[in-house]
Amino acid sequence: MFLESKKAHMAVLIGCVFYSMNGLFIARIHDMSIYSTVFYRLLFGLLFLFAYIVLRGKTSDLRLKKKKKKGYLFLQGTLVVACMLLYFTCLKITCVSIAILLQYTAPIYVMLASPFILNEKIGQESIAALFVAITGVYLIVKPEGGFSGIELTGTYMLGMAAGMLSGIVFAAMIINVKILKTEYPELGMVFWPMGIAFLLLSPFAFNVSPAVLSDNVPVLMAFGIVSIGLGEIFTIIGFANLETQTGSLLALIEPVSGVFFDIAVLGIALSSNTLIGCVLIMASAAVVSLKDSGKTEKGSQEPLPLEIPPESSI
């Protein structure tokens, strides 16, 4: 039981590390709108996912015949697109710091909703870890001058609302994965929602010239494989086999990984506030991990089917 829980925790953490590399790829894509970028990221990511599923002989995981809850698959794909559009709307109107901070309020909504939707109990450790983690995210993304100098105009408030909604939608995605897990295998939960998101974003396919697209193809391919391919595989496996509260809190490790990629690749200096924020988030992740490990060792949680692809097969 402990081993299964440990695998699920590691899956979320590994997936978040892959997701945290998004900024590195976006910085290397030129003359493309964010919507066209995300469309081609989905295209190459889906091609990788399909090849991966075929090579592992898991095509049966994609069968929808006789499956119920197909509407939840469509809902997940819609949520993926909505979360992305709301996040980038907030990013465009406000700033990176506020967009990240508001989206990563998702664990709050998960903790409020999961007792009613999934009958999960809220533990004192989870509440404490949540406040510690949110404080850590704030310290990481807080501008040097603080948020006090921000002018709250009508347009700015619209951006703030979009950011808050992106956090709510992100929470809904995490909860919906748990609902889908009762009927669909993990690879099916990865592939079909991404495919639906791809179709919904297809109008943006031709918003870029062939020459510009050709120049950006190598980066877009890597972007799709790392974030949509590897990132989705690991995070969905983790979310599906953990309590939603635990999964959402562990997802906060993504900004921590992003900070260290910025330092290692982009040479950005590490401030004391950022360092403290990273420590707080990692401490909260350790708390929820130890809490779950304790539950499984006592036998209060049934072992969940979990299959994390070995490194050699990725």
Side-chain angles (χ1 to χ4, degrees), residues 163-197:
M164 290 185 68
L165 285 173
S166 74
I168 294 172
V169 173
F170 187 29
M173 289 167 57
I174 295 171
I175 292 172
N176 198 44
V177 165
K178 198 69 175 179
I179 295 172
L180 286 168
K181 179 63 173 67
T182 60
E183 188 167 358
Y184 292 91
E186 285 92 349
L187 290 177
M189 289 190 291
V190 174
F191 184 83
W192 288 117
M194 292 299 108
I196 292 165

Side-chain angles (χ1 to χ4, degrees), residues 3-140:
L3 181 60
E4 299 296 338
S5 176
K6 187 176 180 181
K7 283 182 178 180
H9 285 79
M10 286 302 299
V12 174
L13 296 176
I14 293 170
C16 288
V17 170
F18 283 123
Y19 270 129
S20 66
M21 298 173 68
N22 286 348
L24 303 180
F25 292 113
I26 290 174
R28 287 163 173 77
I29 295 172
H30 305 288
D31 303 319
M32 288 181 65
S33 71
I34 194 64
Y35 303 113
S36 296
T37 298
V38 173
F39 171 82
Y40 286 102
R41 163 185 175 244
L42 282 166
L43 171 62
F44 292 115
L46 280 168
L47 290 174
F48 172 82
L49 281 172
F50 186 72
Y52 172 79
I53 291 168
V54 170
L55 289 173
R56 295 200 66 218
K58 294 286 187 178
T59 52
S60 60
D61 287 1
L62 302 183
R63 292 175 185 168
L64 298 179
K65 189 177 181 180
K66 297 182 180 180
K67 295 285 188 182
K68 300 177 182 178
K69 298 184 179 179
K70 295 185 181 71
Y72 286 92
L73 281 178
F74 182 80
L75 174 62
Q76 189 72 1
T78 304
L79 290 173
V80 168
V81 175
C83 188
M84 178 200 66
L85 294 179
L86 288 166
Y87 175 78
F88 286 116
T89 297
C90 179
L91 186 65
K92 184 176 181 180
I93 296 175
T94 61
C95 61
V96 174
S97 299
I98 287 180
I100 294 173
L101 182 61
L102 291 177
Q103 185 170 72
Y104 282 99
T105 56
I108 298 174
Y109 311 124
V110 169
M111 196 166 290
L112 291 173
S114 60
F116 302 99
I117 299 175
L118 302 172
N119 295 318
E120 293 183 355
K121 295 181 180 180
I122 302 177
Q124 293 181 349
E125 300 94 338
S126 296
I127 295 173
L130 173 63
F131 282 105
V132 170
I134 294 296
T135 302
V137 173
Y138 173 77
L139 289 174
I140 289 175

Side-chain angles (χ1 to χ4, degrees), residues 229-250:
L230 302 176
E232 279 292 317
I233 289 172
F234 281 104
T235 53
I236 294 299
I237 286 174
F239 286 152
N241 293 289
L242 289 172
E243 287 188 352
T244 54
Q245 297 169 34
T246 301
S248 63
L249 283 168
L250 289 175

